[in-house]
Amino acid sequence: MLFKILAVAAAITGAFAQRPSNTSICDYYTTALLKNNTAANQEKLITFIVNTAVIGNYTTPNIGISVPGILTAGTYNGTRVNLLPYFNGALASTNRGGVGRSVNFLDGGGAAPLVQNKPANSTSSNQYILLTHLYEYFGALFGCSGVGTADYPVYNGLGSQYQVHKFMGLSHAQVGYFIEQVALSAASFGVGQSDLMIVGNALNNLFNYRCAPPTVVIPIQGAQFQSICLDNTCPISRNSTCFSYDSTTKPAPANSTNMFTPNATTTKTGSKTSSLATATVSPPPKASHGGAVSVGMSFAVVAGGLAALFL
Ligand code: HEM
Ligand SMILES: *[C@@H]1O[C@H](CO)[C@@H](O)[C@H](O)[C@H]1NC(C)=O
Ligand SMILES: *[C@@H]1O[C@H](CO)[C@@H](O)[C@H](O)[C@H]1NC(C)=O
Ligand SMILES: *[C@@H]1O[C@H](CO)[C@@H](O)[C@H](O)[C@H]1NC(C)=O
Ligand SMILES: *[C@@H]1O[C@H](CO)[C@@H](O)[C@H](O)[C@H]1NC(C)=O
Ligand SMILES: *[C@@H]1O[C@H](CO)[C@@H](O)[C@H](O)[C@H]1NC(C)=O
Ligand SMILES: *[C@@H]1O[C@H](CO)[C@@H](O)[C@H](O)[C@H]1NC(C)=O
Ligand SMILES: *[C@@H]1O[C@H](CO)[C@@H](O)[C@H](O)[C@H]1NC(C)=O
Ligand SMILES: *[C@@H]1O[C@H](CO)[C@@H](O)[C@H](O)[C@H]1NC(C)=O
């Protein structure tokens, strides 16, 4: 859980100075880790974070935080979680034209290209589309200033994450586990405590409540239904609009002909490691404290709403 991660991160902290409030999380850590704050480097940073969240930690440097990865089964708050069947075609859980279908999202080489900091072997794979969409989406969530420029395309997947995840019928533990892997991944690159808090809280508030009203995540897509947590273990959103959401169903196992053996998509790559571009982490830029709040747009909005919950 988030607090556990924060405690671990706090114990290891010291990698970077405090982020100045006029620099987004993405831009700040791009500069810290990759030096030049270009759109291409921002996308590279988000690629490291997403790939690590998906398959577990594989890069050097890693400040000593182990990340199991979204594709690895684990436990969240005492509940067993295994998200792999939603990604490898074992469940008819993907929304294709309003019907739950079995789709293999590990058809672009699985973990092998990810440890090379790539989305997939083939641009025509489901894996390629999913991973590149995640780079674009998380780039917006982390406030990357280069999103929307030639080197870092803006997210052009479906706007409603409710529609995307509708037939997965996910629980609070499942969505919590996913968010925990994203936070752990960011922590493993040295993202500081207060920034992890912002990321974790934003993801929880946007996606981990049931019946959320239309909310803007990608500005050009406008307000959309975003609840990813759907079953009755999910806490209910403020300003909930449950009548806008269909009743939740759990996905059926796919027919064996559609099924891909999980072992073919092994996520454990043993000693394989891959270095961040320059292998060394540059000294943190000198931080200036205070000033106007202007983190990534979505986070600014959510963090504002969140402050109320925490105080
Ligand atoms: C904070 C939570 C999450 C966020 C922000 C998120 C975000 C996204 C985004 C942006 C896409 C791409 C949609 C598109 O290409 O149109 C996607 C697809 C997908 N997500 Fe999530 N997701 C989250 C949680 C989860 C969880 C918990 C699962 C559990 C299995 C999951 C499974 C998938 C799958 C299988 C797809 C591919 C669906 C398709 O192409 O139709 N996601 N997600
Ligand atoms: C942030 O503020 C500092 C000092 O107030 C300034 O030197 C710096 O250029 C600003 N950075 C950005 C990205 O606006
Ligand atoms: C940073 O980017 C500028 C302009 O693209 C380039 O001239 C410079 O060499 C880059 N610096 C590093 C350290 O990569
Ligand atoms: C993952 O991180 C942990 C903690 O730093 C480390 O012990 C382990 O070797 C890493 N795994 C890989 C595959 O890099
Ligand atoms: C963890 O589980 C307990 C007991 O079911 C519940 O009260 C609590 O809200 C859960 N916490 C989180 C963060 O999911
Ligand atoms: C994908 O690329 C990796 C690394 O180049 C390779 O080991 C693997 O066999 C490839 N997989 C497919 C399905 O092409
Ligand atoms: C709930 O709706 C009210 C009135 O429209 C609005 O002021 C408030 O910000 C909303 N709260 C959330 C968490 O969306
Ligand atoms: C499995 O196949 C049968 C017969 O083709 C079909 O009726 C059924 O809907 C399929 N189930 C799933 C979950 O795809
Ligand atoms: C995966 O499982 C299949 C069927 O059980 C088996 O034939 C194959 O050798 C396994 N592959 C690996 C890499 O373990």
Side-chain angles (χ1 to χ4, degrees):
M1 278 159 293
L2 196 53
F3 290 113
K4 211 163 64 190
I5 300 168
L6 293 177
V8 174
I12 304 172
T13 274
F16 305 115
Q18 174 78 37
R19 175 173 59 87
S21 57
N22 63 355
T23 305
S24 74
I25 290 176
C26 175
D27 287 27
Y28 180 70
Y29 292 99
T30 297
T31 306
L33 288 160
L34 300 166
K35 298 194 173 75
N36 246 2
N37 185 27
T38 58
N41 275 347
Q42 290 167 15
E43 188 173 31
K44 194 178 268 183
L45 175 83
I46 299 298
T47 298
F48 291 137
I49 292 176
V50 168
N51 286 10
T52 298
V54 171
I55 61 169
N57 63 287
Y58 65 92
T59 60
T60 304
N62 165 324
I63 69 164
I65 291 176
S66 171
V67 187
I70 287 161
L71 299 180
T72 302
T75 302
Y76 183 84
N77 197 21
T79 302
R80 295 283 304 157
V81 171
N82 181 13
L83 302 181
L84 181 63
Y86 299 83
F87 290 95
N88 68 4
L91 293 172
S93 55
T94 298
N95 187 352
R96 288 291 176 264
V99 180
R101 298 284 191 207
S102 160
V103 175
N104 179 17
F105 290 98
L106 305 176
D107 60 344
L114 298 199
V115 302
Q116 298 174 337
N117 305 320
K118 294 189 301 191
N121 286 0
S122 152
T123 56
S124 62
S125 56
N126 299 318
Q127 179 174 331
Y128 179 86
I129 294 168
L130 175 58
L131 269 294
T132 54
H133 280 173
L134 292 177
Y135 303 155
E136 295 161 359
Y137 202 77
F138 279 88
L141 285 174
F142 280 74
C144 297
S145 61
V147 163
T149 64
D151 284 342
Y152 201 164
V154 75
Y155 174 73
N156 75 342
L158 286 179
S160 167
Q161 293 313 316
Y162 162 57
Q163 286 299 333
V164 171
H165 299 84
K166 176 175 185 174
F167 295 110
M168 300 178 204
L170 296 167
S171 69
H172 191 59
Q174 289 175 310
V175 179
Y177 186 80
F178 183 106
I179 293 171
E180 181 177 81
Q181 298 310 309
V182 173
L184 274 174
S185 172
S188 78
F189 291 100
V191 170
Q193 259 196 99
S194 55
D195 293 332
L196 292 176
M197 182 82 107
I198 292 170
V199 170
N201 286 338
L203 293 174
N204 258 312
N205 281 277
L206 283 169
F207 307 110
N208 208 359
Y209 286 83
R210 160 161 81 93
C211 303
T215 307
V216 177
V217 176
I218 305 298
I220 59 164
Q221 296 188 322
Q224 305 276 344
F225 292 105
Q226 306 291 14
S227 287
I228 289 175
C229 196
L230 297 177
D231 82 6
N232 60 14
T233 64
C234 304
I236 202 144
S237 168
R238 278 199 286 179
N239 293 345
S240 61
T241 60
C242 288
F243 61 85
S244 308
Y245 287 80
D246 293 334
S247 64
T248 298
T249 54
K250 294 289 179 182
N255 287 323
S256 53
T257 44
N258 295 331
M259 213 163 128
F260 296 85
T261 52
N263 69 347
T265 58
T266 178
T267 63
K268 284 298 160 209
T269 50
S271 60
K272 182 94 177 93
T273 58
S274 160
S275 296
L276 286 179
T278 53
T280 48
V281 175
S282 57
K286 273 283 156 269
S288 69
H289 298 267
V293 175
S294 97
V295 294
M297 187 175 318
S298 311
F299 281 152
V301 170
V302 179
L306 234 271
L309 284 181
F310 267 72
L311 295 176

